[in-house]
Amino acid sequence: MTLQIPDPTLGTWAKSFPARLFGLPLSAVAAADVRLSEFSTPILTVHEAALAHNENTVFDWARAQGLLLAPHGKTTMAPALWQRLLDAGAWGITVATPWQAAIAIEAGVPRVMIANAVTDAAAARHLGTLLDANPELTLLCWADSVATVDILAAALDGAARPLGVLVELGGAHGRTGARTVAEGEEIAAAVTRAPGLRLAGVTGYEGPFGPDRSHASVASVDAYLQTLVELHARILPLYDDTARPVLSAGGSSWPDRAAAVLAPSADSADVVLRSGAFQIHDDGFYTRMGPFGRDVDTAPLRSAMHAWSRVVSHPEPGLALLDAGRRDVPFDIDLPIPQSVEGEVTALNDQHAFLRLPDDSRVAVGDVVRLGLSHPCTAFDKWRVVPVIDDPDAEDPRVIGAVATCF
């Protein structure tokens, strides 16, 4: 399927884009013969070859495991990048909020999962309207309590088409989700009693149960994933025959364990992983946590995102200030990592990065520093348009396209 890809006219609103592109549609950037040096700093870029490598690696692995992928679209909120995922064989696109779901539906995504409980009655009613207006759409959301089911049922009373609901199971010290399998059974039964709802499966998020790749974390994650399998088995008689049930886990940090524990249930459910980080990957958290090329027999994933920042001050030996700050680069998990010079980013202000340098550093005011980043979800939300480059290691990378985000 072909999505409706945003193609805005470039102007001063397009942060760091060169003035000679103003007045052109975003789609014209590919043919504009522009180099990265023409862009102002700071600028975030996406690397085309790394994108393709990551997509091919993970989709090939998932197919071999008998798993389906519904990558988390909220990672980039970029329909052009969602299109690549769908073209690669994605089962659907996952989002986090009803508003993000509306963006995906408007773009033409045929199967959308809201990985969250919807307790906003007005948003739930709007979801019903979207279902009615898009007869080919499959739309799913989560519920982790009977109270949530009651809100959805009241909002969708009399809806023309039922909203699919997955029972979310969590665990002690986790995030959201019912805390026991028995509670999950009660939620599933409540969904089946609501005319405007359809019991669609079982879901959860394993991330809180494994903060690292230690043996203890693996055991904790496996034990949690096994409770999803147990709940799915217990509520099998409650599913109707309108669609195969879904058994879903997050999968960004633990796709290998999700495959090991959930894939054996593929005969009775669509086993769906929701990882959205793999397409972009990073040079921080997901490099540390991801199993590809280490615990999974594939090539390692590659970071497809970099930031480029200019030295605006070198006020004392061992310290330079860059023009990228909290409004430009992610900092919630790790600080940016200098890649083109020796040094360490030790702090960020709104518009500055503190770059500590060796005493013999020759970094000068005006130099451009390439930065590796951690956590793509909090990189893309700072940019409305992002150039795509051919080679981040080139002396002056060629810009071969651009994508728009919908944050």
Side-chain angles (χ1 to χ4, degrees):
M1 71 293 298
T2 301
L3 301 185
Q4 298 295 314
I5 307 297
D7 193 19
T9 298
L10 293 169
T12 53
W13 64 268
K15 185 167 71 170
S16 299
F17 271 59
R20 80 173 177 92
L21 297 180
F22 294 174
L24 296 178
L26 190 67
S27 57
V29 171
D33 190 26
V34 63
R35 297 282 176 165
L36 188 60
S37 60
E38 297 182 56
F39 287 69
S40 299
T41 55
I43 185 72
L44 177 73
T45 61
V46 170
H47 179 204
E48 163 64 33
L51 277 180
H53 167 79
N54 295 343
E55 292 158 355
N56 292 336
T57 298
V58 175
F59 276 95
D60 287 349
W61 171 82
R63 280 188 284 268
Q65 302 298 313
L67 303 172
L68 299 168
L69 298 176
H72 226 314
K74 59 96 172 170
T75 299
T76 65
M77 285 303 292
L81 297 180
W82 299 349
Q83 180 74 70
R84 296 176 63 109
L85 295 167
L86 293 169
D87 290 345
W91 176 88
I93 295 293
T94 299
V95 295
T97 69
W99 170 76
Q100 292 173 0
I103 294 290
I105 293 165
E106 185 177 79
V109 177
R111 186 183 282 117
V112 178
M113 183 192 302
I114 303 173
N116 219 332
V118 177
T119 59
D120 180 334
R125 287 191 292 271
H126 184 54
L127 295 178
T129 301
L130 292 172
L131 275 168
D132 189 35
N134 297 274
E136 302 302 315
L137 171 67
T138 298
L139 181 58
L140 309 173
C141 74
W142 297 5
D144 70 351
S145 68
V146 173
T148 299
V149 176
D150 290 343
I151 291 170
L152 291 171
L156 293 164
D157 185 28
R161 297 178 60 210
L163 174 65
V165 178
L166 284 79
V167 178
E168 183 193 2
L169 188 61
H173 312 298
R175 196 168 68 181
T176 53
R179 285 331 199 215
T180 67
V181 171
E183 289 176 23
E185 290 181 276
E186 294 175 6
I187 296 163
V191 173
T192 63
R193 294 192 296 267
L197 307 179
R198 174 180 66 85
L199 182 63
V202 172
T203 189
Y205 173 53
E206 70 283 357
F209 303 100
D212 51 40
R213 299 292 299 188
S214 67
H215 291 302
S217 287
V218 170
S220 179
V221 167
D222 283 2
Y224 166 71
L225 291 169
Q226 190 59 50
T227 65
L228 301 184
V229 174
E230 181 183 352
L231 177 58
H232 166 66
R234 288 198 188 185
I235 66 175
L236 268 175
L238 299 181
Y239 294 120
D240 61 29
D241 59 1
T242 58
R244 275 174 61 83
V246 172
L247 180 59
S248 178
S252 283
S253 298
W254 298 99
D256 52 328
R257 302 319 307 158
V261 178
L262 302 187
S265 298
D267 58 340
S268 61
D270 286 339
V271 179
V272 178
L273 300 190
R274 305 184 305 274
S275 169
F278 74 83
Q279 186 184 31
I280 301 298
H281 199 52
D282 70 6
D283 283 307
F285 178 76
Y286 289 109
T287 290
R288 295 193 299 273
M289 287 295 294
F292 293 101
R294 182 174 56 205
D295 301 305
V296 171
D297 187 19
T298 66
L301 302 186
R302 296 156 54 188
S303 179
M305 64 176 181
H306 300 90
W308 308 77
S309 183
R310 196 175 305 272
V311 177
V312 293
S313 178
H314 198 339
E316 61 188 57
L319 174 65
L321 281 300
L322 307 180
D323 63 0
R326 295 181 180 183
R327 294 181 174 179
D328 312 298
V329 293
F331 58 93
D332 55 314
I333 298 180
D334 300 297
L335 292 173
I337 305 158
Q339 295 182 322
S340 57
V341 300
E342 286 190 58
E344 179 186 5
V345 173
T346 58
L348 293 179
N349 293 157
D350 287 351
Q351 310 287 180
H352 293 92
F354 289 74
L355 174 60
R356 293 292 173 180
L357 299 164
D359 291 339
D360 59 353
S361 173
R362 296 186 179 181
V363 169
V365 170
D367 287 354
V368 174
V369 177
R370 190 181 87 184
L371 300 172
L373 305 175
S374 182
H375 199 193
C377 294
T378 51
F380 278 75
D381 65 351
K382 296 167 177 59
W383 296 88
R384 296 169 67 185
V385 282
V386 181
V388 179
I389 60 174
D390 63 344
D391 182 5
D393 294 321
E395 183 175 347
D396 190 5
R398 185 164 59 96
V399 175
I400 58 175
V403 297
T405 67
C406 297
F407 286 101

